[in-house]
């Protein structure tokens, strides 16, 4: 029985007591072989009619002619259920339980509807009800039920749009239920292809159905036919009215050219004691399995015609002593099981469809085989082997899906398949397929995603034990494989990873550590994919500044107004990204900068200043040997960003056989001194580290006698951050190096290229925007890297919610750009609010409690608000409804409890972007003259 309810039924349960039966509307014709309720206008049930007369059924019909069908759903109130349960200790009803059976009572069988529910029907008398029992015990049981349940009202709720389908033994009914077209009377819907792969899906007609099957080549399936649990290889043509089930690829040659129409063809796993074999059965869609042969059909034709056409005799199918009334399809020994000298296959039943192709040989072979009837086969079916074959087919096409999704760069999630494979013990097959994809992919991006999927398999194998997925990934045992990947030998690296993986499969802790290393390997390939952006870095010669002359670059901060996270690799080159950024002055100045000068000594002096160009040095480092640069790829190492900048600008070649001093003297007759500063706190969310990298590279290029365009700097910072292994996107440097209000975009392709478009705004709108924007420092800091790993992991898994959110981020960025072009502040605010919700979906947990309280307090006074950057803390920026609200917001937040330390800062749109200039020549380490004006 299948009950389908297309929507919430809306049953009124207010004041409900007693028992309520659920019914569905059906035709009077259908009711002739079914049960229906006779109910009054108040919905109280008077009787249950089973296979009633036409008059009885007509009495149950409603105004539309439909009758309420019994559908098997009954709801007992707690009082009624309690009363029913209390009868289990009363003889003879105790014989319905093991307690009564163990006490020696003979078993008794009751009907839910005609023994229990019917006792409460208003139109049934006690005498008629009790007399309806089949024997003394049943009548005694009915008497107890009447006394216990009669006082409870029996009501009916008929669900108007529901449908009822009874699962009969009819092949026609079964095929019909699998292939219902939209618009048919039933509410049942089967999708055309479920858990299946067809090489040519356009050959599957509407109204056909394929379940857990692999169809290779040209397999045409007509409407009204179904394929289940089959691996078929074309060319094949399957006509209407067919059901094929359990056929392996080896059966396909026998099917080619065979006329299939209105037949049921099945392959079965059979166990005969210790012997396992495959048996094929064939029948017609219209055949009745239990009707006597004299008046029924086989393969949709009368038995007499079948005998004449094939040469088969009645004596081949039934023993002479079998009564004619028992000679039916169910008992006919039609299906070959074993042959003394030859292997049997599908062709040994298919010949029954087309015996004209040489019936003599086939008939003799068929007669020589040991055959069984379906009645004899049924108890011999090997259900374990059958389910195992279906499971193996599911994962075989799962492996095909892995290849299709990864190599086709599709957004389908493989995580459900991975979890199933781990649960069912098919993980090795999936791992092998992922190894194959990773080693043969034609670009690093696809290989990286395959390695991320391997990490997911290993993580699932740990079953939630073994520690956190995020963690270190630099164990020396994996170093050789990592070096191969770094060198570009992806296939060799994947082979070494797989070999090493086998040593880490014995426990949850090892599995999780191995998963971390696979994510580390994936990051190597993502870096290589992103570093394809190097081709968009062009550097031209420029005048080499004299020794001692400072080259200074100062930059604004950036606000991301929408689209952030879509710029993050690998999202940005697999999905495509769009981010609206605005360059801003904070409290009237550009807060980020770097200056570089050449010095006579062949060394690199790296100095971090305390917040301003004139601030005291808070960290100093001198590099005199190449070994001093080796930790450039460790983000937390002292001076890592500047070390990476020297390498990425190719001022220093690393690794190299030539010592650092020799390199510097040969190319520049000395070394370099670099100062960097930022007035912004660590983890501000305003793009500090990427913009600082851009400022450092801009000043390094110029100090080394080179010049790079802003577009080149954007891509150069992408390259640097991959070498640094922080794995950042491109929005920060676009926001801080490119002036004004703009939208950056990247296409879903490699090499990764960022294209920036200035957003033209109405005259005076930049000033208006500045008057309505404020920065609120939340006092909370959080590194984006802490969020980044989870976001990238979820993206690699293609969680549907994350993919949908990536679409929404890009769409919202384009809408925000339109709002800015129109000068529509309220619409910009709406985009900001939407953007914050999208950030929270991308990185759950990025809104600290104090920030949530702050945002709720500000809600009435702003068009929109959002945490800058990845979230988790740093700066909150708000777009106020009224201009210049700094003091007003300060008062509001000062009255809000639980915020801790906060500060509010004015910001304004900066139309200058990065400023690079030679500002002075000094050799004593003092600040260059006039630099305050530059800042």
């Amino acid at each position: 029985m299948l009950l389908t309810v297309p929507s919430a039924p809306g049953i009124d349960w207010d004041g409900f007591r007693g028992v309520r039966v659920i019914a569905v509307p059906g035709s009077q014709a259908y009711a002739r072989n079914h049960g229906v309720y006779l109910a009054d206008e108040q919905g109280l049930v008077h009787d249950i009619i089973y296979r009633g007369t036409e008059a009885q059924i007509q009495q149950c019909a409603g105004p539309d002619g439909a009758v309420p069908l019994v559908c098997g759903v009954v709801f007992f109130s707690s009082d009624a259920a309690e009363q029913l349960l209390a009868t289990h200790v009363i003889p003879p009803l105790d014989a319905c339980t093991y307690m009564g059976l163990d006490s020696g009572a003979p078993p008794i069988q009751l009907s839910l509807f005609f023994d229990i529910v019917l006792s409460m029907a208003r139109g049934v008398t006690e005498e008629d009800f009790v007399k309806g029992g089949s024997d003394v015990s049943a009548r005694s049981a009915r008497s107890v039920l009447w006394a216990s349940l009669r006082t409870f009202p029996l009501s009916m709720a008929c669900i108007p749009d529901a449908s009822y389908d009874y699962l009969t033994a009819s092949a026609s009914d079964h095929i019909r239920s699998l292939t219902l077209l939209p618009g048919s009377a039933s509410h049942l819907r089967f999708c055309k292809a479920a858990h299946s792969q067809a090489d040519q899906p356009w050959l599957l007609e509407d109204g056909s159905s394929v379940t857990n099957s692999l169809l290779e080549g040209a397999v045409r399936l007509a409407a009204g036919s179904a394929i289940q649990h089959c691996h078929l290889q074309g060319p094949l043509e399957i006509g209407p009215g067919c059901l094929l089930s359990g056929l392996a690829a080896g059966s396909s040659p026998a099917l080619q050219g065979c006329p299939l129409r209105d037949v049921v063809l099945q392959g079965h796993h059979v166990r005969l004691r210790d012997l396992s074999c495959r048996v094929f059965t064939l029948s017609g869609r219209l055949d009745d399995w239990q009707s006597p042969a004299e008046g029924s059909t086989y393969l949709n034709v009368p038995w007499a015609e079948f005998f004449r056409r094939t040469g088969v005799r009645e004596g081949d199918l039934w023993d002479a002593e079998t009564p004619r009334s028992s000679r039916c399809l169910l008992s006919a020994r039609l299906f070959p099981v074993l042959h003394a000298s030859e292997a049997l296959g599908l062709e040994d039943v298919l010949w029954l469809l087309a015996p004209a192709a040489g019936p003599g040989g086939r008939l003799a072979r068929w007669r020589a085989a040991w055959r069984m009837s379906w009645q004899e086969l049924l108890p011999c079916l090997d259900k374990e082997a059958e389910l195992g074959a279906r499971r193996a087919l599911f994962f075989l096409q799962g492996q095909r899906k892995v290849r299709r999704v990864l190599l086709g760069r599709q957004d389908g999630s493989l995580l459900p398949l991975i979890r199933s494979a781990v649960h069912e013990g098919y993980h090795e097959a999936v791992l092998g397929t992922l190894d194959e994809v990773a080693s043969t992919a034609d670009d690093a991006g696809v290989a990286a995603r395959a390695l991320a999927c391997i990490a997911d398999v290993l993580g699932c194998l740990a079953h939630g034990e073994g520690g956190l997925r995020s963690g270190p990934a630099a164990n020396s045992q994996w170093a050789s494989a990592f070096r191969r990947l770094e060198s570009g030998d992806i296939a060799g690296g994947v082979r070494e990873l797989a070999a090493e993986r086998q040593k880490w499969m014995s426990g949850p802790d090892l599995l999780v550590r191995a998963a971390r290393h696979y994510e580390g390997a994936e990051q190597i390939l993502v870096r290589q994919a992103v570093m394809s952006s190097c081709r968009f870095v062009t550097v031209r010669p420029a005048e080499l500044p004299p020794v001692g002359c400072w080259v200074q670059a100062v930059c604004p901060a950036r606000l991301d107004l929408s689209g952030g996270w879509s710029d993050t690799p690998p999202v940005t080159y697999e999905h495509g990204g769009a981010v609206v950024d605005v360059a801003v002055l904070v409290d009237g100045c550009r807060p980020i900068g770097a200056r570089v000068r050449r010095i006579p000594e062949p060394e690199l002096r790296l100095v971090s200043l305390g917040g301003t160009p004139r601030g005291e040095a808070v960290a100093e480092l001198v590099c005199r040997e190449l070994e001093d640069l080796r930790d450039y790829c460790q983000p937390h190492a002292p001076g890592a960003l500047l070390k990476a900048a020297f390498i990425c600008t190719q001022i220093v070649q690393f690794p190299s056989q030539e010592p650092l001093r020799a390199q510097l003297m040969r190319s520049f007759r000395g070394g370099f001194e670099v100062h960097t500063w930022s007035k912004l706190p660590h983890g501000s969310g305003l793009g500090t580290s990427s913009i600082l990298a851009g400022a450092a590279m801009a000043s390094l290029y110029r100090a080394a006698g080179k010049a790079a365009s802003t577009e080149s700097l954007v891509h150069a910072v992408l390259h640097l951050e991959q070498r640094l292994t922080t794995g950042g996107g491109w929005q920060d440097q676009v926001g801080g190096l490119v002036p004004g209000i703009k939208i950056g975009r990247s296409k879903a392709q490699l090499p990764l290229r960022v294209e920036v478009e200035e957003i033209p705004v109405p005259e005076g709108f930049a000033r208006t925007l500045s008057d309505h924007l404020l920065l609120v420092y939340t006092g909370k800091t959080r590194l984006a890297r802490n969020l980044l790993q989870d976001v990238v992991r979820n993206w690699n898994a293609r969680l549907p919610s994350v993919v949908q959110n990536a679409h929404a981020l890009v769409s919202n960025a384009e809408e925000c750009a339109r709002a800015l072009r129109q000068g529509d502040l309220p619409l910009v605010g709406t985009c900001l609010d939407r953007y914050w919700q999208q950030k929270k979906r991308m990185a759950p947990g990025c809104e600290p409690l104090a920030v949530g309280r702050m945002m709720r307090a500000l809600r009435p006074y702003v068009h929109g608000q959002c945490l800058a950057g990845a979230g988790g803390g740093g700066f909150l920026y708000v777009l106020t409804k009224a201009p210049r609200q700094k003091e007003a917001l300060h008062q509001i937040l000062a009255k809000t409890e639980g915020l801790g330390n906060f500060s509010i800062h004015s910001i304004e749109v900066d139309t200058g972007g990065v400023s690079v200039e030679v500002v002075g020549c000094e050799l004593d380490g003092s600040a260059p003259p006039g630099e305050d004006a530059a800042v």
Side-chain angles (χ1 to χ4, degrees):
M1 182 267 287
L2 284 175
L3 173 64
T4 307
V5 182
S7 58
I11 299 172
D12 183 11
W13 296 99
D14 290 342
F16 165 71
R17 62 179 295 269
V19 175
R20 179 165 293 170
V21 293
I22 307 300
V24 297
S27 69
Q28 295 184 36
Y30 187 82
R32 293 188 192 121
N33 293 307
H34 202 69
V36 293
Y37 293 113
L38 175 62
D40 60 22
E41 293 180 355
Q42 286 73 41
L44 293 175
V45 176
H46 285 251
D47 202 354
I48 303 174
I49 311 297
Y50 181 67
R51 289 187 173 180
T53 64
E54 188 173 336
Q56 288 175 314
I57 293 172
Q58 178 65 42
Q59 190 181 5
C60 300
D64 59 355
V67 294
L69 297 173
V70 175
C71 74
V73 181
V74 182
F75 187 85
F76 285 76
S77 68
S78 56
D79 290 345
E82 191 174 303
Q83 190 67 29
L84 175 62
L85 290 174
T87 65
H88 85 282
V89 296
I90 304 175
L93 291 177
D94 63 339
C96 294
T97 71
Y98 78 87
M99 295 291 288
L101 296 179
D102 290 354
S103 300
I108 183 172
Q109 186 174 2
L110 296 179
S111 163
L112 170 63
F113 291 95
F114 295 107
D115 289 316
I116 297 175
V117 174
L118 190 63
S119 69
M120 295 171 277
R122 297 296 94 186
V124 177
T125 66
E126 181 178 7
E127 182 180 0
D128 290 341
F129 176 70
V130 173
K131 283 197 307 183
S134 57
D135 54 31
V136 173
S137 179
R139 288 192 286 274
S140 175
R142 282 191 166 206
S143 181
V144 173
L145 290 169
W146 180 276
S148 300
L149 301 176
R150 183 62 184 176
T151 57
F152 292 103
L154 178 64
S155 59
M156 179 192 74
C158 189
I159 305 173
D161 297 326
S163 68
Y164 180 94
D165 286 80
Y166 190 76
L167 300 182
T168 70
S170 163
S172 289
D173 288 348
H174 185 56
I175 294 172
R176 180 189 59 82
S177 71
L178 293 175
T179 57
L180 289 172
L181 282 165
S184 57
S186 174
H187 293 290
L188 287 174
R189 290 292 176 270
F190 284 80
C191 62
K192 188 185 296 183
H195 300 296
S196 299
Q197 180 181 343
D199 287 351
Q200 301 181 31
W202 54 88
L203 296 180
L204 308 179
E205 295 183 7
D206 289 342
S208 63
S209 170
V210 182
T211 305
N212 189 37
S213 295
L214 180 58
L215 308 182
E216 298 179 306
V219 178
R220 183 180 296 276
L221 184 63
S225 287
I227 296 176
Q228 297 182 325
H229 317 298
C230 291
H231 182 183
L232 302 178
Q233 296 171 332
L236 293 176
E237 187 154 349
I238 300 160
C242 293
L243 172 62
L244 275 62
S245 177
L247 303 182
S251 302
S252 297
L255 289 170
Q256 292 171 3
C258 184
L260 294 180
R261 184 185 183 94
D262 291 327
V263 295
V264 177
L265 183 57
Q266 296 174 284
H268 309 277
H269 290 265
V270 172
R271 176 170 286 277
L272 305 170
R273 296 190 178 179
D274 295 330
L275 177 65
S276 295
C277 58
R278 291 276 285 157
V279 176
F280 298 95
T281 60
L282 176 67
S283 60
R285 177 176 66 85
L286 303 176
D287 297 341
D288 187 321
W289 285 81
Q290 295 179 307
S291 295
E294 289 182 354
S296 62
T297 63
Y298 178 55
L299 296 178
N300 307 311
V301 299
W303 278 98
E305 181 178 340
F306 168 74
F307 292 144
R308 177 186 57 78
R309 188 174 67 187
T310 60
V312 174
R313 298 187 296 264
E314 279 195 59
D316 294 324
L317 305 181
W318 299 285
D319 297 331
E321 60 270 20
T322 303
R324 301 202 70 79
S325 61
S326 299
R327 296 185 181 188
C328 60
L329 176 55
L330 190 64
S331 61
R333 295 191 183 97
L334 278 162
F335 311 119
V337 178
L338 295 172
H339 193 280
S341 59
E342 300 180 55
L344 298 175
L346 184 60
E347 61 275 9
D348 292 294
V349 295
L350 283 177
W351 77 273
L352 298 171
L353 283 172
R362 286 293 181 189
L363 176 59
R365 175 184 165 96
W366 177 83
R367 280 187 172 141
W370 178 44
R371 303 181 311 280
M372 297 176 72
S373 68
W374 179 243
Q375 195 170 42
E376 293 166 333
L377 280 171
L378 193 59
C380 300
L381 295 181
D382 190 340
K383 299 178 181 63
E384 182 179 356
E386 181 62 37
L387 291 174
R390 294 180 180 186
R391 187 183 301 115
L393 179 58
F394 176 86
F395 286 108
L396 175 61
Q397 53 173 314
Q399 291 170 257
R400 303 291 182 93
K401 178 180 180 180
V402 167
R403 295 188 187 94
R404 185 176 73 251
V405 168
L406 295 181
L407 295 175
R409 298 167 177 82
Q410 298 175 8
D411 281 339
S413 176
L414 296 177
L415 196 55
L417 174 63
I418 287 171
R419 288 170 175 160
S420 294
V422 168
H423 185 265
E424 298 290 346
Y426 277 81
H427 54 275
E428 287 294 347
V430 173
L431 286 171
T433 302
L434 290 168
D435 287 335
E436 176 197 336
V437 171
S439 59
T440 59
D442 57 4
D443 73 53
V446 171
R449 186 179 173 192
L451 295 184
C453 289
I454 293 176
D456 282 336
V457 175
L458 299 174
C460 287
L461 283 168
H463 300 295
E465 301 177 7
L468 297 175
R469 278 284 297 275
S470 299
N475 189 290
S476 60
Q477 295 182 50
W478 300 84
S480 176
F482 282 14
R483 284 194 296 270
R484 280 190 177 271
L485 295 177
E486 294 277 13
S487 70
D489 181 7
I490 295 179
V494 171
R495 283 195 301 272
E496 286 202 23
L497 287 170
E500 185 61 34
R501 181 178 71 219
Q502 296 304 315
K503 307 172 187 175
W504 296 66
M505 304 288 286
S506 59
D509 56 335
L510 292 177
L511 286 163
V512 169
R513 290 166 64 193
R516 293 172 186 160
H517 283 81
Y518 262 94
E519 288 188 343
E522 172 252 338
Q523 290 163 15
I524 292 172
L525 297 186
V526 168
R527 290 199 293 272
Q528 291 182 350
V530 174
M531 285 193 287
S532 64
S533 63
C534 280
R535 68 182 64 186
F536 305 116
V537 178
T538 56
V539 180
R540 63 184 186 277
E543 182 182 355
L544 183 67
V547 173
C549 279
W550 289 101
V551 176
Q552 181 167 284
V554 289
C555 300
R558 73 94 184 90
L559 288 184
D560 54 317
L561 300 186
S562 56
W565 284 121
S566 74
D567 67 304
T568 303
V571 181
T572 190
Y573 63 75
E574 291 180 339
H575 175 274
V579 182
V580 174
D581 275 318
V582 56
V584 294
L585 306 179
V586 179
D587 292 332
C589 74
R590 294 177 176 173
I592 302 164
R595 61 171 178 251
V596 180
R597 65 174 176 176
R598 292 169 55 216
I599 56 177
E601 297 81 5
E603 60 189 23
L604 306 178
R605 298 177 189 168
L606 315 179
V607 181
S608 177
L609 302 178
T612 67
R614 289 187 175 276
E616 294 184 3
V618 295
E620 295 186 49
L621 183 66
V622 178
C623 300
R624 297 186 175 91
E625 308 291 341
L626 282 179
E627 186 63 27
D628 297 332
L629 301 178
R630 185 167 298 280
D631 58 358
Y632 78 93
C633 57
Q634 300 175 23
H636 300 295
L641 186 148
L642 294 180
K643 294 174 185 178
F646 274 106
I647 293 169
C648 292
T649 55
Q650 298 184 346
I651 292 174
V652 174
Q653 300 297 320
F654 183 92
S656 174
Q657 297 298 316
E658 186 178 14
L660 176 61
R661 290 170 176 264
Q663 290 188 42
L664 294 173
M665 290 303 295
R666 174 176 52 79
S667 300
F668 303 104
R669 299 183 182 277
F672 292 85
E673 182 175 350
V674 185
H675 294 184
T676 59
W677 63 89
S678 170
K679 292 183 64 176
L680 303 173
H682 195 51
S684 67
L686 299 180
T688 307
S689 59
S690 298
I691 298 171
L692 186 61
M697 295 187 83
S699 53
L700 277 173
Y701 274 131
R702 187 67 186 85
K706 304 173 185 178
S709 66
T710 303
E711 180 186 5
S712 292
L713 282 175
V714 167
H715 292 91
V717 172
L718 259 178
H719 176 230
L720 179 145
E721 291 190 326
Q722 298 309 312
R723 298 290 295 269
L724 189 61
T725 72
T726 51
W730 46 257
Q731 63 147 312
D732 295 345
Q733 58 266 37
V734 167
L737 302 181
V738 181
I741 306 169
K742 59 272 176 181
I743 180 169
R745 298 184 181 91
S746 62
K747 296 178 180 178
Q749 64 184 38
L750 290 173
L752 172 58
R753 183 171 192 173
V754 183
E755 298 176 307
V756 183
E757 174 194 345
E758 179 187 356
I759 299 176
V761 297
E763 185 176 355
F765 181 73
R767 180 68 262 168
T768 301
L769 188 63
S770 300
D771 288 343
H772 287 262
L773 276 174
L774 286 172
L775 274 181
V776 182
Y777 184 60
T778 64
K780 307 288 183 182
T781 61
R782 183 172 183 179
L783 291 177
R785 185 177 174 86
N786 294 345
L787 300 171
L788 180 62
Q789 286 181 319
D790 288 339
V791 171
V792 171
R793 185 178 298 126
N794 291 339
W795 170 256
N796 282 329
R798 292 304 194 276
L799 298 183
S801 60
V802 174
V803 174
Q804 182 181 1
N805 202 40
H807 296 328
L809 283 164
V810 172
S811 175
N812 190 53
E814 297 293 350
E815 183 171 351
C816 184
R818 287 192 292 272
L820 289 164
R821 291 188 192 99
Q822 297 164 9
D824 189 337
L825 276 182
L827 183 54
V828 172
T830 298
C831 291
L832 295 186
D833 282 342
R834 188 184 300 131
Y835 180 34
W836 179 234
Q837 297 307 314
Q838 291 165 352
K839 283 187 180 183
K840 290 194 291 184
R841 283 193 291 271
M842 207 70 172
C846 67
E847 181 181 280
L849 291 175
V851 173
R853 286 192 289 268
M854 187 177 288
M855 297 178 84
R856 286 191 294 274
L858 296 176
R859 167 56 51 203
Y861 310 98
V862 300
H863 289 305
Q865 54 189 329
C866 184
L867 274 179
F875 280 98
L876 169 71
Y877 59 92
V878 298
L879 185 66
T880 59
K881 294 178 178 178
R884 296 176 291 279
Q885 292 293 294
K886 181 176 178 179
E887 292 303 322
L889 295 194
H890 193 280
Q891 293 178 16
I892 292 166
L893 293 179
K895 297 175 183 177
T896 305
E897 295 182 1
L899 296 188
N901 295 324
F902 69 90
S903 57
I904 300 181
H905 306 264
S906 60
I907 51 177
E908 57 185 289
V909 177
D910 176 42
T911 57
V914 60
S915 168
V916 184
E917 54 188 328
V918 179
V919 293
C921 297
E922 296 288 338
L923 287 176
D924 60 0
S926 61
E931 70 175 3
D932 286 339
V935 176

